[in-house]
Amino acid sequence: MNDIKICVIGLGYVGLPLARLFSTKYPTVGFDMSQARVDALMEGHDATLEVADDLLQSALKNGFKCTTDINAIRDCNFYVVAVPTPVDENNNPDLTPLVGASTTVGKVINKGDIVVYESTVYPGVTEDECIPVVERISGLKFNEDFFAGYSPERINPGDKLHTVEKIKKVTSGSTPVVAEKVNNVYASVITAGTHMASSIKVAEAAKVIENSQRDINIAFVNELSKIFNRMGIDTQDVLEAAGTKWNFLPFKPGLVGGHCIGVDPYYLAQCAQRFGYNPEIILAGRRMNDGMGEYVANETIKLMLKKGIQVLNSDILIMGFTFKENCPDVRNTKVVDIYRSLKEYNVNITVYDPWANPAIAMHEYGAEIINELPTQKFNAVIMAVAHKEFINISIEDLCEDCHVIFDVKGILDKSIIDGRL
């Protein structure tokens, strides 16, 4: 393994932490299409905050480098693809980034080299969609001239406890020998250990069901929340009571966004449909979770009406915009569904999030957000994200005398809230 030189393609939330980790053991180059991203990283700062500046700067001093120059990765022999795999407006998998990355690999891969995919896909994508692109561009023959593997990413954005090296890694390879080699490379840096799957398709399937399972469980408690709300029962109290049983699963209701849980089930669903099976539970869970932002907005408006608060031109504060707490990631955030649903009532909305980048929020969603706590008073406040900065804020001080507070995350004192999931 002394001759391995690694290139990680895609330096986002997944690729950069992995590349930095690999650089502790192997010569490593990070490749990205964004010159601005590369420039910032080479200056020693990661805007995603996944890699601390001191770790990044140490890696750079020890030889790690980032580039947009394809010629700088031609001498690598172990390529790792970690680009996004989103869905389009119709929730169909969009493999465009993967095809682009595979084209890049095809331009530089040489005989004997290995390409490992980390991007979330449905079973068969690596061998049926990506590898043919590499073959066509390179002119090389798969499993004769070059080889492949799949090792699904398990990055948890914003989590400083479960970092990449502390999460067990699933690996796989296109031949038994390559599977061993891929596994050994990952095992050399992943302190939590690895699990070598029996095939690339098994590894791909394992990834999509991890998050689909979580999505379905959250959909169940979201539905319970809607039922118990109509019955006048506090869902959090119910879950606390049920949680006293040793095998009760502690899922909580909420908004399901982000790049994994809110996306992966669609990849699995399309795969199933290709084989003539229409998945009922998976898609039902998606429908439930995709509707929760609108539900929160409508419940807030109902509570305002019950208190006699005029909705038209009222002032509403949404606290938090990222898809989860304590990270700047706004990919597939479901808070935007609350924002858009409230807009239909012709209210004045202020979105406060100290973590999110206002320029990105405006570019991606057309939503104006602020990074500083507002000083005005509001008719309603929605606690949408549990950022640590919000814990010690006196929410009532932000409100008019007659107001509504809706707690999406279940972090506020019950005595001050009017509604929660």
Side-chain angles (χ1 to χ4, degrees):
M1 301 219 301
N2 293 331
D3 61 340
I4 289 176
K5 183 171 182 180
I6 295 175
C7 170
V8 176
I9 298 174
L11 297 176
Y13 284 85
V14 173
L16 181 66
L18 184 66
R20 199 285 310 173
L21 181 62
F22 274 139
S23 75
T24 62
K25 288 285 184 72
Y26 308 99
T28 304
V29 180
F31 180 86
D32 199 277
M33 297 294 289
S34 170
Q35 188 64 55
R37 173 69 168 158
V38 166
D39 289 344
L41 293 177
M42 289 302 289
E43 290 174 1
H45 177 65
D46 170 27
T48 71
L49 306 181
E50 288 303 300
V51 176
D53 287 357
D54 58 338
L55 285 178
L56 177 57
Q57 290 162 15
S58 176
L60 293 171
K61 289 178 182 177
N62 292 325
F64 173 57
K65 65 178 182 178
C66 305
T67 185
T68 58
D69 182 6
I70 195 170
N71 292 313
I73 64 173
R74 291 187 183 278
D75 60 343
C76 296
N77 51 29
F78 193 95
Y79 295 92
V80 179
V81 174
V83 296
T85 42
V87 292
D88 62 21
E89 58 186 11
N90 297 314
N91 292 321
N92 294 315
D94 180 5
L95 301 181
T96 303
L98 266 183
V99 172
S102 299
T103 300
T104 298
V105 172
K107 292 176 180 179
V108 296
I109 200 166
N110 294 301
K111 286 190 175 183
D113 292 355
I114 297 173
V115 54
V116 179
Y117 289 85
E118 289 229 355
S119 306
T120 300
V121 293
Y122 52 81
V125 168
T126 298
E127 293 158 295
D128 300 338
E129 304 288 344
C130 298
I131 294 305
V133 175
V134 179
E135 282 188 310
R136 186 178 72 252
I137 300 297
S138 68
L140 301 177
K141 184 73 173 175
F142 178 48
N143 275 344
E144 291 182 14
D145 299 322
F146 75 96
F147 305 90
Y150 183 78
S151 180
E153 60 90 0
R154 279 180 168 170
I155 294 291
N156 189 25
D159 190 336
K160 302 309 177 187
L161 179 62
H162 302 97
T163 50
V164 59
E165 69 272 17
K166 297 176 183 176
I167 303 174
K168 194 164 188 175
K169 204 82 162 68
V170 174
T171 67
S172 63
S174 55
T175 71
V177 172
V178 170
E180 286 281 357
K181 188 169 184 177
V182 170
N183 189 71
N184 289 339
V185 170
Y186 278 95
S188 68
V189 294
I190 303 293
T191 57
T194 59
H195 172 86
M196 189 166 65
S198 58
S199 70
I200 287 177
K201 286 185 175 67
V202 166
E204 291 171 324
K207 171 58 180 175
V208 288
I209 72 164
E210 287 175 19
N211 288 320
S212 297
Q213 179 189 68
R214 198 167 158 72
D215 191 46
I216 291 166
N217 278 305
I218 297 172
F220 172 59
V221 292
N222 274 337
E223 186 164 56
L224 291 180
S225 177
K226 289 184 175 183
I227 294 170
F228 293 145
N229 180 52
R230 292 193 174 198
M231 299 171 68
I233 300 173
D234 189 296
T235 305
Q236 302 291 343
D237 289 347
V238 174
L239 294 175
E240 182 180 349
T244 59
K245 190 182 181 191
W246 76 92
N247 61 352
F248 184 81
L249 301 178
F251 287 91
K252 293 184 177 181
L255 305 176
V256 184
H259 185 61
C260 291
I261 301 178
V263 174
D264 294 2
Y266 288 121
Y267 276 73
L268 182 57
Q270 183 173 95
C271 181
Q273 289 165 343
R274 286 189 173 192
F275 283 83
Y277 182 84
N278 187 47
E280 297 179 20
I281 295 176
I282 295 169
L283 292 179
R286 277 284 75 232
R287 286 192 294 271
M288 173 60 65
N289 288 339
D290 275 348
M292 291 307 291
E294 181 181 10
Y295 175 77
V296 168
N298 291 340
E299 288 299 301
T300 302
I301 296 299
K302 287 179 184 178
L303 289 168
M304 292 174 69
L305 292 172
K306 286 180 180 179
K307 283 194 169 185
I309 301 172
Q310 180 176 305
V311 172
L312 184 64
N313 292 321
S314 61
D315 296 311
I316 298 179
L317 173 64
I318 299 175
M319 298 188 68
F321 192 77
T322 60
F323 93 89
K324 66 179 295 187
E325 65 273 9
N326 305 325
C327 88
D329 195 351
V330 298
R331 290 177 300 172
N332 195 33
T333 176
K334 292 304 177 183
V335 180
V336 75
D337 293 342
I338 301 177
Y339 177 87
R340 289 170 177 166
S341 296
L342 287 175
K343 280 285 188 182
E344 296 178 5
Y345 290 96
N346 291 327
V347 299
N348 304 312
I349 305 172
T350 300
V351 183
Y352 164 54
D353 193 313
W355 286 81
N357 185 320
I360 294 176
M362 177 58 69
H363 179 267
E364 295 295 325
Y365 302 104
E368 183 177 348
I369 69 171
I370 58 175
N371 295 134
E372 299 294 330
L373 185 66
T375 56
Q376 74 177 91
K377 301 286 187 178
F378 295 91
N379 303 111
V381 175
I382 299 174
M383 177 64 73
V385 185
H387 289 315
K388 60 186 180 183
E389 288 85 353
F390 297 166
I391 302 301
N392 296 319
I393 293 176
S394 176
I395 305 300
E396 289 178 298
D397 289 345
L398 299 171
C399 300
E400 297 284 4
D401 291 338
C402 186
H403 62 266
V404 162
I405 298 175
F406 194 99
D407 185 11
V408 175
K409 299 299 294 183
I411 63 171
L412 300 177
D413 190 301
K414 285 176 61 175
S415 65
I416 70 167
I417 66 173
D418 299 278
R420 67 176 178 177
L421 292 181

